[in-house]
Amino acid sequence: MADTAETTEPGGGPGTFAPRPGAAPLGRMIRAQAALETRLLLRNGEQLLLVIIIPTLLLTLFSSVDIVDTGDGDAVDFLAPGVLALAVLSTAFTGQAIATGFERRYGVLKRLGASPLPRWGLMTAKTCAVLVTEVLQIALLTAVALALGWSPHGNPATVALLLLLGTAAFSGLGLLMAGTLKAEVTLAAANLVFLLLLFGGGVIVPLSKFPGGIEAVLHLLPVAALSDGLRDVLRDGAGVPWSDLGVLAAWAVLGLGAAGRFFRWE
């Protein structure tokens, strides 16, 4: 048998064996899992279509062609904030719900749950991957909108707060759906919700085009609150849209709370 060599590691004395057995530090595990989740997301052609290509095409098409009456001013000033909200919806809700649903079906979550990475650490890594993807989306969509003549206003800190609360709300709802429904049902339902909110959430079509009773209900949807809040700040230069922030905060608490309570890992 081969002899076992002894080494000296930083912080250890003579006789310490390398590599030292045991789990890596928690922060390193979360960073590694977040990087893996991000790579998997960006390598998935269907997810790229959903989170990057579709919002970009919608912004370019509806800003260049007079299809929908967006009211006074340039169409891109109305559409850009709505498409930013759509980007958050596509990544934090639709993409995350579908990916997590199929990971649950194939036993990936069960196996990861047995690893040294705690389950809350896995959810943190997934959230980090969502945020990294959103940063890429927002950078691309902002560049496209600026090329189309967009002139944003308002406080960037308020915009960031709206986007973070919107991400929390959609993430909670996406994880709730993925953790309670079958993967095939999640796939169909998440895509259906995406399409319905695309046209009924104030993203492309102004909510003022809907009848009064329906408009009042639609304003309570998280995507409508995010679209309206971003539009108030970026187009109109308004201050903090407290009512929209309140709607998003309520959805975030309800969604994340329900996901934590009812999510099934297998």
Side-chain angles (χ1 to χ4, degrees):
M1 296 180 61
D3 292 334
T4 303
E6 294 184 351
T7 62
T8 301
E9 293 183 346
T16 301
F17 292 97
R20 184 184 304 170
L26 180 59
R28 187 187 304 171
M29 288 192 291
I30 292 176
R31 289 195 300 272
Q33 185 65 31
L36 174 62
E37 297 280 350
T38 304
R39 288 196 299 271
L40 291 175
L41 177 62
L42 296 178
R43 288 175 182 175
N44 190 318
E46 294 179 359
Q47 295 297 325
L48 283 179
L49 175 67
L50 177 69
V51 304
I52 293 181
I53 298 176
I54 289 179
T56 304
L57 289 177
L58 288 173
L59 176 61
T60 304
L61 174 63
F62 285 93
S63 297
S64 304
V65 182
D66 188 13
I67 300 176
V68 178
D69 181 11
T70 57
D72 298 333
D74 294 336
V76 69
D77 291 331
F78 174 88
L79 293 168
V83 172
L84 290 178
L86 180 68
V88 175
L89 169 68
S90 66
T91 301
F93 174 74
T94 311
Q96 183 167 220
I98 294 171
T100 305
F102 278 96
E103 286 177 353
R104 176 170 163 260
R105 175 189 174 182
Y106 294 127
V108 175
L109 294 184
K110 179 180 179 180
R111 291 174 174 81
L112 287 174
S115 71
L117 180 66
R119 290 182 174 181
W120 68 263
L122 175 60
M123 293 296 99
T124 300
K126 285 184 173 293
T127 301
C128 290
V130 166
L131 292 174
V132 170
T133 305
E134 286 181 358
V135 169
L136 297 176
Q137 286 177 288
I138 292 169
L140 173 61
L141 292 171
T142 299
V144 172
L146 291 173
L148 293 170
W150 184 37
S151 299
H153 306 282
N155 188 343
T158 304
V159 173
L161 180 59
L162 284 163
L163 293 172
L164 286 174
L165 273 178
T167 299
F170 291 130
S171 291
L173 295 172
L175 291 173
L176 175 63
M177 179 180 289
T180 55
L181 302 177
K182 292 183 178 180
E184 293 82 2
V185 177
T186 297
L187 174 63
N191 282 314
L192 177 61
V193 170
F194 176 82
L195 291 175
L196 291 176
L197 294 183
L198 170 61
F199 294 102
V203 175
I204 300 296
V205 181
L207 294 182
S208 59
K209 302 295 182 182
F210 294 89
I214 297 177
E215 179 185 356
V217 174
L218 293 178
H219 273 293
L220 298 177
L221 296 175
V223 70
L226 183 55
S227 297
D228 288 346
L230 290 174
R231 202 167 282 126
D232 288 344
V233 176
L234 293 171
R235 184 185 65 176
D236 304 328
V240 180
W242 292 110
S243 60
D244 295 315
L245 287 173
V247 171
L248 291 173
W251 278 105
V253 171
L254 290 174
L256 292 172
R261 172 66 177 81
F262 298 108
F263 191 94
R264 298 193 303 270
W265 290 79
E266 52 183 289

